[in-house]
């Protein structure tokens, strides 16, 4: 838990006291329940916002410098607004700088700011710590600058552009969307092409969502991620030869079944097969939640993992071990990797009264097999980005 009084004191220590008090904002992280690697294909996803996230104390200044610090990182930034145009090596400050850059591209006048961040989302775990930093910055700037013409969906799109253009990861829109639009105890069923969405109540009736962090950092993940994006584009270019197709998300499973031989390369065919079948699983998963059929929801989670392992090849020994062990336990309805993969976390639907046994059993086998210590979190599905009003 982050102590907000200590965070405020840290802000004053860094930037001094002034009559103008800093304001406080919060953006959560997210977990995706199903619909992986479908967002940048214009497909369906089903994420929800989590209890952990990023806090930001922010105050405008009279000069034209952006000062950035974080309780989680030693690297600090002090940058002239006019110098914000490209990445500062590989530092965390690129996430806020990318957002400020987007505001400036929209011709919004940004003054100097003093900013202090603090987050409790485990880093490199696939729970969207970067989207959380981006969205807390975007929402704080919009509020501080009274940019009322920017709706939440504009901030979501702006944060995705920052990630694509400034950071250089060709990610889809899911993470920013979940962090911005999250609703307590609801999952967000999103069509990533039209951006139409529906909140689906998570009535888990004696079951709970357990997230497990593999402890394996997602090294090389960004380049592998961009490689998958390119493979999907290649699949589309093959399918486009007989009729106009611009994204895998517009092809349903039966069409794909008939047309898949147009893709001559077996590997590319498997990548496309994952995306098209995952879209169908999301549709089925939503109707399971609506009907209260958690057993079938769990079956779909398991099938999603299998496809991510065999067709999309983004799992690895750590994620696979966690999922396999989880699936052996009575009372676990489903288990799958969540996020981009290549390390990071799994999400598991577990009967409440077996959670302790689940943790002991999965930990033991995982530790023996990989030498890594897994970390378990009980997910609390929460609201999206917001300002926290302080009594000052
Ligand atoms: C990362 C990306 C998302 C999405 C997932 C995979 O989290 O940021 O846009 O593509 O991977 O589903």
């Amino acid at each position: 838990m982050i102590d907000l009084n200590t965070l405020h004191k840290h802000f004053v220590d860094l930037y001094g006291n002034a009559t103008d008090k800093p304001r406080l904002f919060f953006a959560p992280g997210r977990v995706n329940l199903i619909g992986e690697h479908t967002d940048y294909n214009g497909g369906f996803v089903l994420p929800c916002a989590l209890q952990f996230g990023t806090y930001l104390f922010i105050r405008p200044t009279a000069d034209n410098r952006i000062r950035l610090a974080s309780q989680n990182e030693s690297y600090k930034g002090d940058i002239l607004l006019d110098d914000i145009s490209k990445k500062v090596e590989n530092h965390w400050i690129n996430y806020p700088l990318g957002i400020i850059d987007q505001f400036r591209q929209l011709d919004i006048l940004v003054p100097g700011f003093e900013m202090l961040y603090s987050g409790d989302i485990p880093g490199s775990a696939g729970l969207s710590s970067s989207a959380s930093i981006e969205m807390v910055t975007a929402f704080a700037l919009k509020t501080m600058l009274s940019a009322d013409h920017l709706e939440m969906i504009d901030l979501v799109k702006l944060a995705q552009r920052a990630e694509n253009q400034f950071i250089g990861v060709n990610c889809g829109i899911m993470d920013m969307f979940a962090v911005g639009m999250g609703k307590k105890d609801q999952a967000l069923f999103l069509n990533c092409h039209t951006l139409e969405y529906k909140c689906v109540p998570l009535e888990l009736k004696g079951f709970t969502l357990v997230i497990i962090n593999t402890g394996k950092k997602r090294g090389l993940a960004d380049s592998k991620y961009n490689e998958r994006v390119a493979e999907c584009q290649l699949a589309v270019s093959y399918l486009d030869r007989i009729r106009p197709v611009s994204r895998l998300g517009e092809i349903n499973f039966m069409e794909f079944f008939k047309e898949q031989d147009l893709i001559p390369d077996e590997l590319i065919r498997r990548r496309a097969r994952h995306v098209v079948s995952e879209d169908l699983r999301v549709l089925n998963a939503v109707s399971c939640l609506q009907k209260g059929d958690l057993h079938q929801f769990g079956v779909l989670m398991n099938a999603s993992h299998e496809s991510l392992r065999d067709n999309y090849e983004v799992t690895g020994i750590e994620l696979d071990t966690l999922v396999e062990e989880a699936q052996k336990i009575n009372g676990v309805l489903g288990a799958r990797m969540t996020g981009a993969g290549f390390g990071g976390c799994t999400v598991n639907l577990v009967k409440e009264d077996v959670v302790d046994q689940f943790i002991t059993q999965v930990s033991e086998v995982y530790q023996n097999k990989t030498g890594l210590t897994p970390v378990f979190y009980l997910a609390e599905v929460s609201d999206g980005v917001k300002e926290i009003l302080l009594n000052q």
Side-chain angles (χ1 to χ4, degrees):
M1 234 350 227
I2 289 169
D3 178 1
L4 298 180
N5 287 325
T6 312
L7 186 63
H8 181 259
K9 189 172 171 307
H10 188 176
F11 184 94
V12 172
D13 289 346
L14 270 173
Y15 301 122
N17 220 337
T19 39
D20 196 5
K21 301 283 177 234
R23 286 166 75 172
L24 178 64
F25 295 85
F26 172 79
R30 68 97 190 89
V31 64
N32 188 21
L33 301 182
I34 195 160
E36 222 63 85
H37 289 276
T38 47
D39 62 349
Y40 52 83
N41 288 299
F44 302 116
V45 292
L46 191 66
C48 44
L50 290 172
Q51 70 270 35
F52 8 77
T54 312
Y55 293 87
L56 165 62
F57 266 114
I58 177 168
R59 182 170 65 191
T61 63
D63 62 14
N64 52 355
R65 305 191 76 85
I66 297 292
R67 296 184 179 85
L68 300 144
S70 163
Q71 284 195 322
N72 306 86
E73 306 277 346
S74 55
Y75 188 85
K76 291 193 183 63
D78 183 348
I79 300 191
L80 261 177
L81 274 160
D82 284 342
D83 290 346
I84 300 174
S85 58
K86 55 177 176 3
K87 262 174 102 171
V88 186
E89 290 167 30
N90 274 332
H91 293 298
W92 71 274
I93 63 167
N94 288 311
Y95 297 111
L97 293 181
I99 297 294
I100 295 170
D101 178 53
Q102 286 295 327
F103 270 72
R104 284 162 58 91
Q105 286 191 36
L106 293 175
D107 289 332
I108 297 174
L109 199 66
V110 180
F113 277 112
E114 293 161 334
M115 304 161 99
L116 174 63
Y117 292 80
S118 185
D120 57 2
I121 307 175
S124 302
L127 301 177
S128 287
S129 53
S130 45
S132 176
I133 298 177
E134 288 159 350
M135 284 303 294
V136 78
T137 310
F139 187 74
L141 289 187
K142 170 216 148 81
T143 312
M144 303 290 289
L145 301 175
S146 305
D148 297 336
H149 62 291
L150 294 177
E151 306 273 339
M152 187 62 82
I153 192 66
D154 300 315
L155 300 180
V156 166
K157 290 184 195 165
L158 175 156
Q160 186 196 11
R161 286 200 301 278
E163 184 86 31
N164 295 166
Q165 297 167 7
F166 204 86
I167 308 293
V169 178
N170 298 327
C171 69
I173 202 159
M174 169 173 73
D175 302 350
M176 296 80 188
F177 192 95
V179 169
M181 312 289 251
K183 288 276 167 298
K184 190 169 169 43
D185 298 328
Q186 319 247 344
L188 304 173
F189 169 39
L190 170 68
N191 176 328
C192 299
H193 181 62
T194 62
L195 298 186
E196 279 168 300
Y197 77 104
K198 225 191 257 168
C199 292
V200 187
L202 276 175
E203 282 154 13
L204 298 182
K205 296 173 296 193
F207 286 82
T208 190
L209 290 168
V210 183
I211 296 169
I212 318 178
N213 189 349
T214 55
K216 180 178 181 231
K217 296 277 180 233
R218 303 193 304 114
L220 282 186
D222 291 354
S223 57
K224 286 276 168 207
Y225 184 92
N226 286 348
E227 187 181 293
R228 293 296 179 280
V229 175
E231 287 165 348
C232 290
Q233 285 160 353
L234 185 56
V236 168
S237 69
Y238 286 124
L239 296 168
D240 186 51
R241 288 183 183 169
I242 54 153
R243 62 179 171 110
V245 178
S246 57
R247 56 196 164 82
L248 287 175
E250 71 192 78
I251 302 169
N252 72 38
F253 193 73
M254 286 320 288
E255 287 164 346
F256 179 75
F257 207 69
K258 280 190 252 148
E259 293 169 10
Q260 58 180 330
D261 292 339
L262 289 170
I263 305 177
D265 182 336
E266 190 269 339
L267 180 136
I268 302 296
R269 210 179 308 138
R270 270 192 288 127
R271 302 294 192 247
R273 188 185 179 88
H274 164 72
V275 175
V276 174
S277 63
E278 184 80 351
D279 267 341
L280 181 59
R281 281 187 286 275
V282 178
L283 293 176
N284 289 336
V286 170
S287 82
C288 287
L289 279 187
Q290 286 166 338
K291 285 189 296 210
D293 187 350
L294 293 181
H295 279 86
Q296 189 55 26
F297 188 86
V299 169
L300 292 163
M301 289 174 78
N302 294 340
S304 166
H305 186 83
E306 200 178 305
S307 175
L308 287 156
R309 184 190 63 207
D310 300 340
N311 294 325
Y312 220 64
E313 296 179 282
V314 290
T315 60
I317 168 114
E318 295 83 6
L319 289 165
D320 290 338
T321 305
L322 284 181
V323 165
E324 261 163 48
E325 284 315 307
Q327 288 171 348
K328 284 182 194 158
I329 297 169
N330 241 330
V332 174
L333 296 186
R336 59 180 292 277
M337 58 151 271
T338 184
F342 312 105
C345 288
T346 66
V347 57
N348 306 266
L349 186 54
V350 186
K351 198 158 187 238
E352 274 165 359
D353 54 17
V354 305
V355 167
D356 290 342
Q357 180 211 340
F358 173 81
I359 294 178
T360 320
Q361 204 168 317
V362 174
S363 291
E364 196 181 306
V365 178
Y366 183 71
Q367 251 160 328
N368 286 341
K369 204 156 168 185
T370 64
L372 293 168
T373 308
V375 184
F376 295 75
Y377 319 95
L378 300 189
E380 288 166 34
V381 175
S382 306
D383 285 324
V385 65
K386 60 186 174 196
E387 178 167 11
I388 297 179
L389 298 172
L390 301 164
N391 305 320
Q392 309 190 358

